Amino acid sequence: MSFSAPGSPPPPPPGQPPYGAAAPHPAQPYPGQPYSAQPYPGQPYPGQPVYPGPPPVDVLRSPQGLATALTVVLSLAAAVNLFSAGANLFAWSLMKDVIADPGQVPQDTLDLSDALTGLAGGFQLLTMLGTATVFIIWFHRVRINGEIFRPDAFTLGRGWAIGAWFIPVGNLFLPFRVARQTWAASTQLGPDGSHRHVSTAPVTAWWLVWVTAACTDRVFAQMYKRAETPEALRDASVVGVASDLLIVAAAVLAVLFVRKLTALQNTKAAQGPYAAV
């Protein structure tokens, strides 16, 4: 399915070939024009206006493949954060023992805890980069599809589907606005053209949990960075467990949101703007 952008290129001046027709041989002048050598192939004749080609055409592109890839990386991210939660829980338990009796915890056990925490952090960084990359590509794809379905549904340009994630403070609400508008644009109308409500709970639940998880993770990072005593490490580990579990919940809700929005777009592309029933 493809949609042509409004407008069409201006007609060529009299004496020039129509769009798509082969131009005369460089050695042959256009009718009514004096001969002029063409210095480089593809260059216009001197004094001749250059007309641009047709404007680019937006087409619907299925987000299904990206949604499948995103489901995989989100599931992997959830597994990594479960591992991180276990590492933080282990550290919390050790710090409790150290506080109770510093001599009862062997040094090799403390080293193991540090190694597990560092390994979890490395895995989290890798999965975060991979998940963010695939998610933003998918998010931009469905935003363009939404604009083809309903150009009037958006108050922000399509570039905000990418840029909104990188604006401090704005990234706490701008991507959610883009997601809500894309959701509305991807929803079919009723058979009679009336508004057809489809619950936005998957969008709202995902976003609220994701923002809470992101904020909690920042608190944990600062607490862990400043922790210099067993008590401080114990407290940081508790916040770390909460942060990891919130990220797991956000990943699960993101999978539900991605699959539902992708299904809405696939249905609208296949059946048209009006629901069958």
Side-chain angles (χ1 to χ4, degrees):
M1 182 184 301
S2 63
F3 295 78
S4 298
S8 59
Q16 289 193 21
Y19 291 102
H25 189 275
Q28 300 296 325
Y30 288 109
Q33 288 186 337
Y35 172 78
S36 175
Q38 189 177 17
Y40 300 102
Q43 296 276 337
Y45 289 96
Q48 203 176 18
V50 180
Y51 292 91
V57 177
D58 281 336
V59 295
L60 287 173
R61 298 177 63 191
S62 173
Q64 187 62 56
L66 287 170
T68 300
L70 196 48
T71 299
V72 172
V73 293
L74 283 168
S75 300
L76 183 59
V80 166
N81 279 276
L82 282 175
F83 172 72
S84 179
N88 280 315
L89 192 60
F90 182 48
W92 171 79
S93 177
L94 286 181
M95 290 304 102
K96 282 186 61 181
D97 293 341
V98 169
I99 293 169
D101 183 0
Q104 73 172 343
V105 180
Q107 184 60 42
D108 58 347
T109 304
L110 294 174
D111 292 341
L112 174 62
S113 176
D114 289 340
L116 289 175
T117 302
L119 186 64
F123 284 154
Q124 283 178 312
L125 179 60
L126 290 175
T127 55
M128 180 195 69
L129 291 175
T131 303
T133 300
V134 180
F135 189 92
I136 290 177
I137 295 173
W138 171 85
F139 199 58
H140 189 251
R141 171 76 56 81
V142 295
R143 167 61 180 80
I144 292 176
N145 286 348
E147 186 173 340
I148 294 174
F149 288 138
R150 273 190 58 193
D152 63 328
F154 297 92
T155 58
L156 297 173
R158 63 177 62 177
W160 286 97
I162 299 174
W165 296 95
F166 302 98
I167 299 177
V169 181
N171 56 16
L172 297 178
F173 61 89
L174 288 175
F176 176 63
R177 181 185 297 181
V178 175
R180 284 286 300 266
Q181 292 175 353
T182 303
W183 184 279
S186 305
T187 302
Q188 288 180 298
L189 298 173
D192 58 351
S194 61
H195 174 72
R196 179 170 165 267
H197 177 71
V198 174
S199 174
T200 58
V203 191
T204 305
W206 157 67
W207 188 251
L208 289 177
V209 176
W210 162 247
V211 170
T212 304
C215 293
T216 306
D217 186 62
R218 292 186 181 183
V219 172
F220 164 67
Q222 292 299 317
M223 291 179 67
Y224 188 81
K225 181 179 179 180
R226 298 174 181 175
E228 297 180 354
T229 65
E231 290 81 4
L233 284 171
R234 177 200 60 194
D235 296 342
S237 298
V238 171
V239 177
V241 171
S243 171
D244 292 332
L245 294 180
L246 282 169
I247 293 175
V248 171
V252 172
L253 291 171
V255 169
L256 297 177
F257 161 61
V258 167
R259 293 175 67 88
K260 179 61 177 177
L261 180 52
T262 299
L264 286 175
Q265 292 204 342
N266 287 341
T267 299
K268 193 166 186 176
Q271 299 180 3
Y274 303 105
V277 290

